[in-house]
Amino acid sequence: NAGVTQTPKFQVLKTGQSMTLQCAQDMNHNSMYWYRQDPGMGLRLIYYSASEGTTDKGEVPNGYNVSRLNKREFSLRLESAAPSQTSVYFCAGGRGDYEQYFGPGTRLTVT
Amino acid sequence: EDQVTQSPEALRLQEGESSSLNCSYTVSGLRGLFWYRQDPGKGPEFLFTLYSAGEEKEKERLKATLTKKESFLHITAPKPEDSATYLCAVNTGNQFYFGTGTSLTVIP
């Protein structure tokens, strides 16, 4: 039982490149979330998916797209990376209003 | 505007020296308040959920309490392994908002 897994663990991109961050959960959660964590800013919600087939914007969605591929998988795409997107990205799974369970994170640097 | 503020930013305690961390919130409809622990280089780990004022939860040396404006995480007789960043989050129904955390260091 792996919980929430994320790939890759580390990534370096050049400005303008694109990439997709992958997230999978085996906890049978309906809801999945993408956050970014920056020093002094705390965790900020980028996008979430309340159930398979639905996605909604969070606090900081600009520059990102998401896909809820199935109940287990929720991916985050950066179409044209910018230095301001340098951050640590966390995926989480949960059940609506209840607690969330986080993955180990992806450390992304955009140069 | 929905807001979550944690204090202090950093706290150093001697082993066995009890203290409290504060999480104050201003939200337009609290659906739940959550405490997480985060170790360096790792994802947040769930500790407690509180739903209504007056509610309390305990786990080992940690006790979380909730009022209408704030929550406290009380740490009794902490040990070095309690050193971590403690995060508070609130759920308003559509969004989860996190505070910036309290970095706790427990010195042997």
Side-chain angles (χ1 to χ4, degrees):
Chain A
N1 204 0
V4 179
T5 57
Q6 293 182 235
T7 55
K9 286 186 168 50
F10 300 93
Q11 184 72 48
V12 179
L13 291 178
K14 296 190 177 185
T15 298
Q17 288 185 317
S18 62
M19 79 161 294
T20 299
L21 282 63
Q22 306 286 354
C23 174
Q25 54 100 2
D26 62 4
M27 304 175 80
N28 202 34
H29 288 147
N30 287 326
S31 302
M32 296 186 75
Y33 309 82
W34 276 106
Y35 291 88
R36 60 178 290 172
Q37 187 174 38
D38 303 291
M41 298 292 290
L43 282 156
R44 290 182 292 168
L45 184 63
I46 304 171
Y47 271 94
Y48 67 98
S49 170
S51 61
E52 189 177 348
T54 69
T55 60
D56 285 287
K57 294 179 181 179
E59 190 181 355
V60 289
N62 291 345
Y64 305 94
N65 286 301
V66 290
S67 295
R68 182 75 183 266
L69 304 170
N70 48 54
K71 188 171 185 178
R72 290 188 64 247
E73 298 172 288
F74 188 38
S75 63
L76 178 72
R77 183 162 178 83
L78 286 69
E79 289 291 351
S80 179
S84 61
Q85 294 179 305
T86 293
S87 188
V88 181
Y89 291 86
F90 288 101
C91 176
R95 297 176 296 127
D97 289 349
Y98 302 101
E99 67 273 8
Q100 298 172 357
Y101 293 89
F102 286 81
T106 294
R107 282 144 189 81
L108 175 66
T109 302
V110 183
T111 61
Chain B
E1 182 181 320
D2 296 329
Q3 195 166 352
V4 179
T5 304
Q6 290 188 247
S7 62
E9 286 187 18
L11 183 63
R12 287 171 66 88
L13 298 174
Q14 289 292 135
E15 184 172 1
E17 179 187 3
S18 302
S19 188
S20 297
L21 283 54
N22 178 264
C23 172
S24 62
Y25 60 91
T26 307
V27 296
S28 55
L30 182 70
R31 298 279 284 268
L33 185 140
F34 307 88
W35 282 98
Y36 292 86
R37 170 191 170 127
Q38 186 173 25
D39 292 300
K42 297 192 174 181
E45 175 188 343
F46 170 70
L47 292 173
F48 302 110
T49 307
L50 301 165
Y51 289 106
S52 56
E55 191 175 357
E56 299 183 351
K57 294 273 180 75
E58 281 189 74
K59 180 180 178 180
E60 295 181 357
R61 295 176 293 281
L62 301 176
K63 179 180 176 180
T65 62
L66 181 64
T67 71
K68 289 186 178 179
K69 294 182 180 180
E70 58 192 349
S71 177
F72 291 94
L73 184 65
H74 307 278
I75 303 176
T76 302
K79 297 182 178 182
E81 54 263 41
D82 294 322
S83 296
T85 296
Y86 290 85
L87 304 174
C88 167
V90 298
N91 173 23
T92 63
N94 290 327
Q95 299 272 348
F96 285 80
Y97 294 99
F98 279 77
T100 53
T102 293
S103 175
L104 174 66
T105 303
V106 182
I107 305 160

